[in-house]
Amino acid sequence: MTVTVRVGTRASALAVTQTTTVAEALAAGGALKYELVRIKTEGDVLKGSLAQIGGTGVFVAALREALLDDRCDVAVHSLKDLPTGVAEGLQIAAIPVRVDVRDALCARDGLTLAELPAGAKVGTGSPRRAAQLRAARPDLDVVDIRGNVDTRLGRVKGLTGEPRVEGKHADLDAVVLAAAGLARLGRTEHVTELLDPSVMLPAPGQGALAVECRVADAAAGTALAGALADYDDAESRLAVTAERSLLARLEAGCSAPVGALARVEAGNLVLKAVVCSPDGSRLLHGEQQVPAAGSEDAVALGARLAEELLGRGAGDLMSQAGR
C-alpha cells in the first residue's frame, strides 16, 4: 500500500521549492506519495530585523509545533536556521547531500566585492555576513534588510526589472545571499561573485537541509523511516554536526556573527570557524581537525575549537553583538 506523507513547509517560494525537492526524493522509491502542508510562521508575520525578532529560529518553531500536533509527518528546514538545542520528541532523521556552502554577491553592473566603489550600499539580514563584509571592505555601507530572495534582489539597481518593496526599489548597490538558495530558485544569473570561504565563512549548516520528524516515526520501521534513512548523507551529517557543536558550545544563536565550515579532507574532518565583532574590526579565526570517524568525534571537534575561541575572547565579541 502506498502511504501519503504530509510534508510541512513555510510558504515562501524558497521553502516550497526546497521542500518539494525533499518530498520528491523521499517518494522516489514508489512506496510513498506526498502532500505539502504550508505552515505560517511568526517570522513571516513580524517585521523588523531578524536579530530583533529572535533570529532565524522564529521560522522553525511553527513547523515543529505542526509536527508535534500531528498536522504534518516531516518538516524541512534550512539547517542553518535550526537552533542547536534538543527538540523534545523530534529528530533530524535525514540530512541530504549538502550543496554549495558559499555566500553570493549579487551586485549592479556585474561588480565583484573588490570592484564595488567606496560608500556602496550592500544589503544583508545576517550579522555574520555584515561583520565579514565590513572586515573585507570597511568603506562599504552595510544595510540591514529583510524579505524573500526576490524582494532582496529587487532592491539592487538594475538587477531586476520589478519593484518589490514600496519606496525601496533599486536603493542598493548589492545584496549578499546564500548561493544554495539562489540555485534552488533558479536565480543564479544574478550572482556576480561567489564569495570564497577565506573571505566569508558561511553560517554553520549553510547549504544543507534538515528533514525532521517525530522520534517514534524515525524508528518505526515504516516506509517513511526507510526512505529517511536512505536519504541521509553520512559525510554531510558529519560536517554539519561539527559546525553545530561549535555553535552550541559558543552558546550562540543562528543569527550570531559566527561562521563555520567543516569538510572531509584526506581522511580528516577539518573545521574552520570565525567569530566576529559586529563592526568587523575584530575577527577571531580558528581551525582544528580529527580523523573523520563518527559523530562523537565531530561533536568533540566542534566543542574543542569553540573552547579555543572562547579562550581567545570570542565571548566578548558575541556579547557585543547582543547589545
Side-chain angles (χ1 to χ4, degrees):
M1 182 179 71
T2 301
V3 177
T4 298
V5 177
R6 299 164 298 164
V7 186
T9 179
R10 290 175 58 206
S12 73
L14 177 56
V16 170
T17 298
Q18 63 192 23
T19 299
T20 301
T21 299
V22 170
E24 289 177 347
L26 292 176
L32 298 174
K33 291 184 178 180
Y34 72 87
E35 64 175 288
L36 297 187
V37 180
R38 288 168 171 79
I39 307 293
K40 182 174 286 189
T41 76
E42 191 176 18
D44 296 316
V45 176
L46 296 177
K47 304 301 180 184
S49 71
L50 282 179
Q52 290 173 334
I53 66 173
T56 50
V58 298
F59 297 125
V60 173
L63 287 169
R64 285 181 159 171
E65 185 178 321
L67 275 173
L68 293 170
D69 290 347
D70 197 25
R71 285 180 280 139
C72 61
D73 302 304
V74 298
V76 179
H77 310 279
S78 291
L79 191 57
K80 68 182 178 63
D81 295 343
L82 207 58
T84 56
V86 174
E88 196 68 33
L90 301 178
Q91 177 179 332
I92 300 175
I95 297 171
V97 175
R98 194 179 200 176
V99 296
D100 199 333
V101 302
R102 292 172 292 181
D103 290 295
L105 183 77
C106 302
R108 63 173 175 85
D109 305 321
L111 297 173
T112 65
L113 183 59
E115 293 167 345
L116 284 167
K121 293 181 181 294
V122 182
T124 176
S126 160
R128 171 192 61 83
R129 289 175 182 143
Q132 292 183 91
L133 278 171
R134 291 179 177 122
R137 289 287 309 272
D139 56 333
L140 296 177
D141 180 8
V142 180
V143 179
D144 184 52
I145 61 172
R146 284 284 313 272
N148 62 34
V149 169
D150 286 330
T151 295
R152 297 184 189 208
L153 290 172
R155 292 187 63 176
V156 180
K157 300 169 186 175
L159 204 59
T160 67
E162 303 173 57
R164 298 282 182 175
V165 181
E166 187 176 350
K168 291 186 176 180
H169 177 58
D171 61 327
L172 302 175
D173 296 286
V175 293
V176 180
L177 300 165
L182 289 165
R184 288 177 179 129
L185 284 173
R187 303 289 191 274
T188 54
E189 74 272 15
H190 299 305
V191 176
T192 56
E193 183 180 9
L194 289 167
L195 299 173
D196 191 271
S198 63
V199 175
M200 185 173 290
L201 266 178
Q206 186 159 308
L209 298 177
V211 188
E212 196 169 40
C213 69
R214 292 177 289 274
V215 170
D217 291 340
T222 61
L224 173 59
L228 288 166
D230 291 342
Y231 194 40
D232 190 60
D233 180 70
E235 188 169 309
S236 297
R237 182 178 282 272
L238 197 66
V240 301
T241 296
E243 295 163 17
R244 286 169 58 77
S245 172
L246 174 127
L247 195 64
R249 180 60 192 91
L250 290 175
E251 297 183 356
C254 304
S255 59
V258 175
L261 180 61
R263 285 177 171 154
V264 176
E265 300 175 3
N268 289 326
L269 182 63
V270 182
L271 175 62
K272 298 180 181 180
V274 64
V275 179
C276 316
S277 63
D279 63 0
S281 62
R282 284 191 67 197
L283 268 62
L284 284 178
H285 286 273
E287 178 178 338
Q288 293 198 23
Q289 60 183 281
V290 295
S295 61
E296 290 184 4
D297 297 308
V299 170
L301 173 64
R304 192 168 70 239
L305 182 51
E307 291 287 356
E308 177 197 318
L309 292 167
L310 287 168
R312 292 164 51 199
D316 180 58
L317 295 189
M318 289 187 297
S319 68
Q320 292 176 32
R323 293 172 194 160

